[in-house]
Amino acid sequence: MKFRRDQKERVESSDPHPALIEPPLGAERADGRLIGEVLLSMGSVGTEELADAAIRQTGSGRRIGALLLENGLISENELAAALSRQLGIPLIDLRSLQPSAAALALVSESVARSLDLIPVSLGDGVLHVAISDPLDSRVPGVLRAIDVATVRVFLAASKDVRDSINLSYKALAGIGEFVDGYAAPSTIQTRSAADQLAEGGTDCPVIEVVNRLVSQALRDRASDVHLEPTPEYVRVRYRIDGALNQVVTL
């Protein structure tokens, strides 16, 4: 029995109503060329450089593109552009886009980081997703399982995907739960925060709060973290580009 590519994308999923992936991942190459040939035609590498990479690839099982990138012979943007030509997946510039909250809610931060992908926008049952590695065998199954009608896939440089993930998923999300849990009247604190810190327990709420504050500061490229206690609460502000910005009140 024969299927069109879009039908096959649906049938291979165990979900009774899997999302349709456009364009299909793992399908035949759009122009039939190997990635090395595409890079050569783009002028990104020379014949000798490509030949040396092919020799290093023998027996290693690694991809030509990854080897060329590792040796500084091509950039991440050049690799993304070559994959776009080879596989027929359009490019997207994440540097000028802010992913929507609705799109981000459909993919957890852990999944986004492990697969190097970022959901960008959602509308009329269509989710736009940017990925850096369309050859990752795990990606199609994850995309098909998202509760939308269609997942439209775009390519972006890995660095741009990682930067977008760092800026979009907030480390401070849920931080209030740790503070509330620690201060709940029903909770009897037999040890002080200082005692818990001294014992080195990683499950201490104070450690989790500090970790999240520092992680978010790094993601926001803050130069300073200001902790300003008052009798009722602690205000946290980051200095970003010379200006203090309030980020959370604990």
Side-chain angles (χ1 to χ4, degrees), residues 146-250:
I146 299 175
D147 189 20
V148 293
T150 303
V151 177
R152 196 154 292 153
V153 180
F154 297 83
L155 272 177
S158 183
K159 179 183 183 302
D160 291 343
V161 173
R162 292 192 302 270
D163 286 346
S164 185
I165 290 173
N166 287 338
L167 292 173
S168 301
Y169 290 97
K170 296 299 183 182
L172 297 181
I175 193 171
E177 297 176 6
F178 293 96
V179 177
D180 293 343
Y182 188 81
S186 59
T187 303
I188 299 177
Q189 298 293 338
T190 58
R191 296 172 298 154
S192 70
D195 290 337
Q196 295 180 50
L197 287 169
E199 293 170 7
T202 58
D203 59 344
C204 172
V206 174
I207 292 177
E208 185 63 36
V209 168
V210 172
N211 281 342
R212 293 189 178 217
L213 289 174
V214 174
S215 294
Q216 191 62 55
L218 288 170
R219 295 182 187 184
D220 292 346
R221 297 181 175 88
S223 60
D224 304 57
V225 176
H226 290 245
L227 305 178
E228 303 167 353
T230 75
E232 293 81 22
Y233 58 84
V234 173
R235 180 173 62 179
V236 181
R237 295 196 292 171
Y238 295 163
R239 187 180 299 279
I240 303 173
D241 295 331
L244 278 173
N245 302 275
Q246 182 167 324
V247 292
V248 70
T249 297
L250 308 176

Side-chain angles (χ1 to χ4, degrees), residues 6-172:
D6 59 343
Q7 291 176 316
K8 184 178 180 182
E9 286 293 334
R10 288 183 180 276
V11 171
E12 287 180 349
S13 172
S14 59
D15 191 316
H17 301 289
L20 172 65
I21 302 175
E22 297 179 348
L25 298 178
E28 61 270 14
R29 296 183 180 89
D31 64 4
R33 292 184 295 174
L34 298 175
I35 191 65
E37 296 172 339
V38 177
L39 287 166
L40 188 62
S41 69
M42 292 169 54
S44 298
V45 294
T47 53
E48 291 186 4
E49 294 170 331
L50 188 57
D52 289 342
I55 293 173
R56 292 197 303 273
Q57 184 192 32
T58 304
S60 71
R62 301 187 62 192
R63 301 177 194 164
I64 286 285
L67 290 170
L68 292 170
L69 183 64
E70 182 180 280
N71 286 275
L73 298 174
I74 61 173
S75 68
E76 290 189 354
N77 288 327
E78 287 175 316
L79 179 57
L83 286 170
S84 176
R85 291 191 186 187
Q86 182 197 30
L87 303 174
I89 303 175
L91 288 170
I92 191 171
D93 187 356
L94 293 174
R95 294 170 296 180
S96 59
L97 292 175
Q98 173 59 54
S100 71
L104 292 169
L106 293 174
V107 179
S108 69
E109 180 179 358
S110 60
V111 169
R113 291 189 182 281
S114 65
L115 299 182
D116 213 19
L117 64 83
I118 181 78
V120 177
S121 63
L122 175 66
D124 298 326
V126 179
L127 176 67
H128 289 186
V129 173
I131 64 176
S132 67
D133 187 0
L135 302 179
D136 189 326
S137 61
R138 302 170 297 168
V139 171
V142 169
L143 297 184
R144 281 194 293 265
I146 299 175
D147 189 20
V148 293
T150 303
V151 177
R152 196 154 292 153
V153 180
F154 297 83
L155 272 177
S158 183
K159 179 183 183 302
D160 291 343
V161 173
R162 292 192 302 270
D163 286 346
S164 185
I165 290 173
N166 287 338
L167 292 173
S168 301
Y169 290 97
K170 296 299 183 182
L172 297 181

